[in-house]
Amino acid sequence: MNHLPEPTPRPATVTRSGPLTWVQQWHWFERTIPSPRRVNPTPLADHCHVPPQATVADVHRALASLTARHEALRTTVDPIRPVQHVHREGWAPLPADLVDVPAVDADTVAAATAELAARPIDPERDPPWLARVLLEAGRPRAVLLAAHHVMIDGWGLAVLIDQLHDELSGADTSAQASTHPLDMVAAQPLERARAAEREWLTRLADNPTGVLAPFGGSGDGTGRHRLQYRSVDAHDDLDRVARRYRVSPEAVVLAALAHEVVTRTGEHRFLASVVVSNRTRAALRHSIGVRALTVPVQIDLRPGAAFGEVVASVAAASAAAYRHGQYRPAELVAAQARMDRRRGVVTVPSIEYNCYSWPRDHLVPAPDTPSNGPATWISSAPDEPCETLYVDLGRDIGGVTLDVTVGDHLLDAAQAQALPVRLCRLLRALADGATCPVPAHPLAPAASGWWRAPEGWVCLAKVEDVLRGHPGVLDATVTPGGNAAGEGKEPHLVARARTAPEVTPGDLHRHVLDHLGEVPGLVAPGRYVLSPAAPGSGGPSGRSRTATVGTGTPRVPTRPPVTGAERALAAAVAAVGPGGPPVGSFGSPDAVDMNRCLADHGVTLVAVPRLLTLLHRFGFTGIASDELAGTASLGHLAAALEPLPPRAPCGGETTP
């Protein structure tokens, strides 16, 4: 049972193969996350208009020329190993089709592009892109392109669109050499990446969590809101502010977001997660491969500072984060999961910020919505709330577009819709000369039941609910301790629980740790005051005795796998664990500690597809890949495993 899946055989069309770059590895893993749980759109999509003189044959020739020039357009990836394969020219038909439309206007193009983006792309077997030619009265008027993020990023898609338009216009593009990600693998400096990883983790550890949670949203929010807001006026306002402070428009919007968070929450120090493309060298400017990466930007603002100081601080922090250049996402996420579980705090950036040029499949314009005026589309999903405020900026000749995705426990529907309106009003005030100083205090007080722990904001009621969910816990209350309680000690949480005699502090500590990534606003208590029901006391209503555990974090004991599901998961972990572990660590499934998370066992994101394949082979399903990347223990994950349904043999009868 403890063995790896067989490697996928290489097709005869492959000309060269090699590992995915570090940046590609994240998107390769991301493709395994169930689509309803993803925040980032995959595939990406964009379009260009066809010059009047071009024909359908010209479009096909241009697409064939680009396919010959860019190896990324004919690259596939291995399904269970972080490997990519470049195929020879002509290995597959051009993935392009023709669609007749009554008129190629802005609304038609936007809707058609969003529709193409919703079509799945299989990067393991097919070209990692799709094309659709819109015909009006038999003439090509627009070409839509969609690309899988594992091979082409948003910046790369914009490069590809520009080159397609140049080809159709008859421009000479022969000198535009392209660099494939395989050519960059050898240039990945490992020591620099390790240094960047250490700083990345330090920044995460030193920032408060749950920054937005106590200051808005729905107390019982379990969904998310998605909306798009477009402002024509904000286009000129943004340019005026950028020129005034001598920064990019993108930096201005990030600074405006930081100003908004401080105004709402009063937190002057938090993290923003920002996407940047490292295409600074001339050799990379014509490359469509994946170069964009996400960097943590430390927002640290002074109360009373004018917006000029805010934008300068944000721009400097962004530049410092960008200088690291390359990270190891597969290792980074595992390192963060280990750190979060041991600290008892899940670190989540307050803002995820990106700049894009593609529409989203969930933002298809309504039939009567004008394409050049203010518009908001909002939808809410009943599950999977996101822990971060996601804001994407789009700019074109006509206006500024802001896409917002946010959990309704952070911002309710009205607050989500008001956010981009306030940002555009802030840009207008700044463009008119206002200084807009940073407020020293929040716009609204924190909601009842929230407490500012040293690590961040924690919801006491949610911690109590999680404790009560442990078998054998009859009741639980959580209160602040230390300075908050007038004790003159380091602030901490005190949990008092009436339990059955067999429940230990370690049991409760592990239980809380297992729910860190599942329950927003949860911080693991550092002290437990347990009141087990005394033997013979008659249960919850009887007398109780009190046992106190010190402020140190209770040690969670080692536990081998017990059930069939746990043994299957342990066997898969043992099989995909890193090579050369300490003696006894991964020798057999029994040596795998089920009280530790996957990252504690040295398993990173690149091994998750193999692990899921093994679980399926062992007859189990029910765990999503992003759950494996979190802080939950293996025992907690194994409890969610389900046996695969029996296969129906020939004749349609199910097996007994």
Side-chain angles (χ1 to χ4, degrees), residues 167-195:
E167 292 256 357
L168 294 174
S169 301
D172 183 10
T173 59
S174 58
Q176 296 178 348
S178 176
T179 303
H180 188 271
L182 272 179
D183 303 323
M184 305 296 296
V185 170
Q188 298 181 130
L190 184 58
E191 287 306 316
R192 182 182 177 188
R194 287 172 175 162

Side-chain angles (χ1 to χ4, degrees), residues 174-220:
S174 58
Q176 296 178 348
S178 176
T179 303
H180 188 271
L182 272 179
D183 303 323
M184 305 296 296
V185 170
Q188 298 181 130
L190 184 58
E191 287 306 316
R192 182 182 177 188
R194 287 172 175 162
E197 176 182 320
R198 289 191 294 270
E199 179 168 345
W200 192 80
L201 293 173
T202 300
R203 293 187 185 191
L204 290 175
D206 290 343
N207 281 267
T209 63
V211 169
L212 286 169
F215 296 95
S218 305
D220 58 349

